Amino acid sequence: MPVLTPRLVVRDARAAQALYAQVFGGSVGPLLATPDGQVAHAEVTIGDVTFSLTEFDLAPVKEASSGILLHLECDDPDATAAALVEQGGEVLIPIADQFYGKREGRVRDPFGHAWILSREVEALSMEELERRTAAWGSEG
């Protein structure tokens, strides 16, 4: 089975590693830096998923989109979003109950990456999800 490991490019990998571990209830892993202190590789584990960080290449700026959405299922998306905002994040879509059975919203972290913070509140069959999606699409 191939393995896909997200690698986020950030401007301050040490700060990002600490923030992600704190806000998302994860743990920090190894951090490898060049002699001048630039972080080449740092790891964060959230649940069963490990991703890496680097300062190489161009990191997104806070005002711009990184072109990626990171979807994190968590026990309390409201508290997680509040913690991220407290650390300098910005709410993009407020956490709310959604028609598709999730309580979720989006927050951009201080490093420019957008996180969908989500929890299932209602298990839906595919038929019900299709019905609700069609009804939602006709509201506009």
Side-chain angles (χ1 to χ4, degrees), residues 21-96:
Q22 175 192 353
V23 170
F24 300 135
S27 60
V28 298
L31 185 144
L32 304 170
T34 62
D36 68 356
Q38 187 176 32
V39 175
H41 177 86
E43 292 180 6
V44 177
T45 300
I46 302 170
D48 294 335
V49 176
T50 298
F51 61 96
S52 64
L53 308 167
T54 186
E55 293 172 350
F56 292 125
D57 303 312
L58 178 63
V61 293
K62 186 175 181 181
E63 294 78 26
S65 169
S66 65
I68 184 172
L69 288 172
L70 299 154
H71 188 145
L72 179 65
E73 293 285 333
C74 50
D75 291 335
D76 189 346
D78 296 88
T80 304
L84 196 53
V85 168
E86 185 176 297
Q87 295 295 320
E90 172 190 3
V91 173
L92 300 174
I93 298 173
I95 304 293

Side-chain angles (χ1 to χ4, degrees), residues 107-121:
V107 179
R108 183 177 11 249
D109 69 33
F111 307 99
H113 296 288
W115 295 79
I116 299 171
L117 305 173
S118 180
R119 176 177 55 89
E120 184 177 78
V121 293

